[in-house]
Amino acid sequence: MHFLGRKLHHAFAGEVTIDRKERREGCRIKFRLKANSIKIYDHLNVLRIETTINNPREFKVLRSIEQDGKTVLKWSPMGKSVAHFQRYAQVANAANQRLINALADAQLTGKATEELDKLCQPRVVNGQRVPRFNPVDPSTVHLFQSVLSGDFTINGFRNRDLQSKLFDSSPVDARDAERRTHSTSRLIAKLRRHGLIAKVTNSRLYRVTKKGVNAMWPAVRFRHIDFPSVFNEQAIVGA
C-alpha cells in the first residue's frame, strides 16, 4: 500500500496481495493493490521495476472544476484519458522511487562477508602471486563501481570502456594515454585472477561473474549506502 501511495485505514475495502515467482529468466515479485500493481524482477540479470495502472481512479489528479459559479482547482479521481498522461508518469515514477528506497534499506544476506574476506587475501594463480584488494579503499571501491556499471551489463566492457569510468578527463598526450591503458590492463588482469570478471570467448570483452557481483557489490554498498558520511566520496584512481 505504501509503494502505491495509500495509507492503511480500518475502512479500506479491497484486496492486497504479494506473490513471488521463479522463472528461467529470473525472479519476479509483484505487489497488488486492487487492480493496480508494482513489480520488481531481474530479467537476464537486469533489475527492473514497473508500475501498472489498470484503475486510475485510485489516484488523484488536480483538475479545474466549476464550484459556486467559480473555476477552482481540486484533486479529483484520475480517469482514463490522454490528458492525464503526465499525471500517470508522476504516479508511476513516485511508486517506483518508493520501492527503490525500500530496497536500499534491505539488509545484505548470503555469503557477502565470506567473499569480502577472500578479496582481502592474496592469491596464487598459475604460480603467480596476485595482490589482495582492500574493499574499503576509495580507489578499489571506485573500480568495483565502474566495473558494475549498468552500461556494461549487456555487452560487457573493453579496456577503453573501463578507462572512461575510471578517469574524469582525457589523456594529456600519447604517453599519458599509454600509461592509462597499461594501468587499466593491470587492473583487469587482477580482477580476472580474483575471479571477479571473465573474458568473453574470441573477443576483447569482459563481463562480471556471479562471484564478482557477490564480492564487489557489498563493498560498494558499505561505502556509499551503509556508511556514506564516514568516507570521502571522491576517489582518486590511476594516480
Side-chain angles (χ1 to χ4, degrees):
M1 294 184 73
H2 168 69
F3 297 152
L4 291 171
R6 294 292 296 271
K7 294 182 178 180
L8 186 62
H9 192 273
H10 68 277
F12 173 79
E15 185 179 36
V16 179
T17 62
I18 303 175
D19 69 80
R20 176 178 180 271
K21 288 187 178 180
E22 290 277 357
R23 294 186 174 90
R24 179 180 300 178
E25 297 83 0
C27 174
R28 186 270 287 162
I29 301 175
K30 179 178 286 188
F31 305 87
R32 293 188 184 89
L33 176 61
K34 295 185 178 179
N36 302 317
S37 66
I38 181 171
K39 65 180 178 181
I40 177 172
Y41 58 98
D42 59 346
H43 179 71
L44 298 178
N45 204 32
V46 178
L47 184 68
R48 299 184 182 184
I49 297 176
E50 295 179 5
T51 296
T52 302
I53 301 176
N54 292 315
N55 181 14
R57 294 188 65 81
E58 291 289 325
F59 305 99
K60 299 295 183 67
V61 62
L62 194 60
R63 302 174 60 182
S64 298
I65 63 173
E66 294 292 333
Q67 186 174 354
D68 298 331
K70 298 180 180 180
T71 302
V72 296
L73 294 175
K74 184 177 180 180
W75 287 100
S76 306
M78 183 168 61
K80 292 185 177 181
S81 170
V82 294
H84 299 151
F85 271 5
Q86 183 176 4
R87 180 58 180 163
Y88 269 67
Q90 291 175 347
V91 169
N93 183 63
N96 291 347
Q97 289 297 323
R98 283 190 285 268
L99 180 52
I100 290 173
N101 291 337
L103 289 175
D105 294 330
Q107 296 297 316
L108 289 173
T109 60
K111 300 180 179 180
T113 303
E114 180 181 339
E115 296 295 344
L116 289 174
D117 288 342
K118 292 179 181 178
L119 290 181
C120 297
Q121 301 297 326
R123 304 183 64 191
V124 177
V125 179
N126 297 327
Q128 293 184 343
R129 184 179 182 275
V130 183
R132 67 182 181 86
F133 278 111
N134 181 354
V136 297
D137 180 74
S139 59
T140 300
V141 175
H142 184 54
L143 170 64
F144 290 171
Q145 192 171 16
S146 301
V147 172
L148 292 169
S149 171
D151 298 342
F152 306 148
T153 301
I154 298 177
N155 296 323
F157 63 91
R158 296 179 175 86
N159 185 303
R160 64 174 179 269
D161 300 324
L162 186 56
Q163 284 188 52
S164 66
K165 299 290 184 181
L166 296 177
F167 301 94
D168 296 329
S169 59
S170 301
V172 296
D173 51 32
R175 184 176 180 180
D176 185 37
E178 184 178 3
R179 181 183 66 84
R180 291 186 180 190
T181 299
H182 292 329
S183 175
T184 305
S185 294
R186 289 192 294 269
L187 291 174
I188 290 175
K190 186 177 180 180
L191 290 167
R192 286 187 67 187
R193 290 169 181 167
H194 275 275
L196 305 180
I197 63 173
K199 192 173 186 294
V200 179
T201 306
N202 299 325
S203 74
R204 296 183 178 180
L205 290 169
Y206 300 90
R207 287 201 178 107
V208 179
T209 62
K210 182 177 181 180
K211 175 183 177 181
V213 174
N214 293 338
M216 291 188 289
W217 168 238
V220 174
R221 179 191 170 103
F222 176 79
R223 188 176 187 88
H224 294 290
I225 298 177
D226 293 336
F227 299 97
S229 61
V230 177
F231 298 103
N232 179 9
E233 298 288 359
Q234 300 299 323
I236 300 175
V237 180

